[in-house]
Amino acid sequence: ARIDLGDGGPPTALAYLADGKGLAVGRADGRFHVVDLVAGAVRRTYPGHQGPVACLAPTRDGLGVASGGEDS
Protein backbone atom coordinates (compact mmCIF):
# COMPACT_ATOMS: atom_id res chain seq x y z
CA ALA A 1 0.00 0.00 0.00
CA ARG A 2 1.09 3.55 -0.64
CA ILE A 3 0.75 6.19 2.08
CA ASP A 4 0.56 9.80 0.89
CA LEU A 5 2.77 12.06 3.00
CA GLY A 6 2.10 15.11 0.86
CA ASP A 7 4.73 17.57 -0.25
CA GLY A 8 7.86 17.94 1.83
CA GLY A 9 10.65 16.42 -0.15
CA PRO A 10 12.13 12.97 0.04
CA PRO A 11 12.43 10.96 3.26
CA THR A 12 15.66 11.75 5.09
CA ALA A 13 15.36 9.47 8.15
CA LEU A 14 13.33 6.38 9.16
CA ALA A 15 12.73 4.58 12.46
CA TYR A 16 10.43 1.69 13.32
CA LEU A 17 8.39 2.26 16.49
CA ALA A 18 8.47 -0.12 19.44
CA ASP A 19 4.92 -1.34 18.76
CA GLY A 20 6.05 -2.83 15.44
CA LYS A 21 3.09 -1.19 13.72
CA GLY A 22 4.43 2.31 13.29
CA LEU A 23 7.15 4.04 11.33
CA ALA A 24 8.56 7.53 11.87
CA VAL A 25 9.49 9.23 8.59
CA GLY A 26 11.68 12.35 8.60
CA ARG A 27 11.42 14.74 5.67
CA ALA A 28 13.66 17.24 3.91
CA ASP A 29 11.33 20.11 4.90
CA GLY A 30 11.98 19.51 8.64
CA ARG A 31 8.72 17.73 9.47
CA PHE A 32 8.35 14.14 10.52
CA HIS A 33 5.34 11.87 10.34
CA VAL A 34 4.33 8.90 12.44
CA VAL A 35 2.72 6.39 10.09
CA ASP A 36 0.46 3.48 11.06
CA LEU A 37 1.65 0.66 8.81
CA VAL A 38 -1.35 -1.55 9.54
CA ALA A 39 -4.02 1.09 8.82
CA GLY A 40 -1.98 2.65 6.02
CA ALA A 41 -2.44 6.17 7.35
CA VAL A 42 -0.53 9.01 8.97
CA ARG A 43 -1.11 9.02 12.75
CA ARG A 44 0.42 12.44 13.33
CA THR A 45 2.68 15.03 11.74
CA TYR A 46 5.18 17.06 13.79
CA PRO A 47 6.63 20.37 12.58
CA GLY A 48 10.07 19.41 13.90
CA HIS A 49 12.99 21.37 12.48
CA GLN A 50 14.07 24.34 10.38
CA GLY A 51 16.22 22.07 8.18
CA PRO A 52 16.01 18.43 7.06
CA VAL A 53 15.40 15.75 9.68
CA ALA A 54 18.73 13.91 10.10
CA CYS A 55 17.81 11.14 12.56
CA LEU A 56 14.87 9.61 14.43
CA ALA A 57 14.76 7.28 17.42
CA PRO A 58 11.72 5.84 19.23
CA THR A 59 11.61 6.12 23.00
CA ARG A 60 11.86 2.87 24.98
CA ASP A 61 8.31 3.16 26.26
CA GLY A 62 7.05 3.49 22.68
CA LEU A 63 5.17 6.70 23.43
CA GLY A 64 7.44 9.16 21.65
CA VAL A 65 10.04 9.81 18.99
CA ALA A 66 13.23 11.85 19.39
CA SER A 67 14.41 13.72 16.32
CA GLY A 68 17.57 15.50 15.25
CA GLY A 69 17.77 17.96 12.41
CA GLU A 70 20.08 20.09 10.35
CA ASP A 71 18.85 23.31 11.95
CA SER A 72 20.92 26.43 11.48
Side-chain angles (χ1 to χ4, degrees), residues 1-15:
R2 181 181 170 100
I3 301 169
D4 184 8
L5 299 177
D7 294 332
T12 56
L14 300 171

Side-chain angles (χ1 to χ4, degrees), residues 38-69:
V38 176
V42 176
R43 288 184 193 165
R44 186 162 180 192
T45 298
Y46 297 89
H49 300 277
Q50 295 172 358
V53 176
C55 58
L56 295 165
T59 58
R60 287 186 191 198
D61 62 9
L63 299 177
V65 178
S67 66

Side-chain angles (χ1 to χ4, degrees), residues 12-43:
T12 56
L14 300 171
Y16 281 103
L17 303 185
D19 66 5
K21 299 176 185 174
L23 179 70
V25 181
R27 304 293 297 278
D29 69 356
R31 296 179 298 158
F32 73 91
H33 310 278
V34 175
V35 175
D36 186 320
L37 297 173
V38 176
V42 176
R43 288 184 193 165

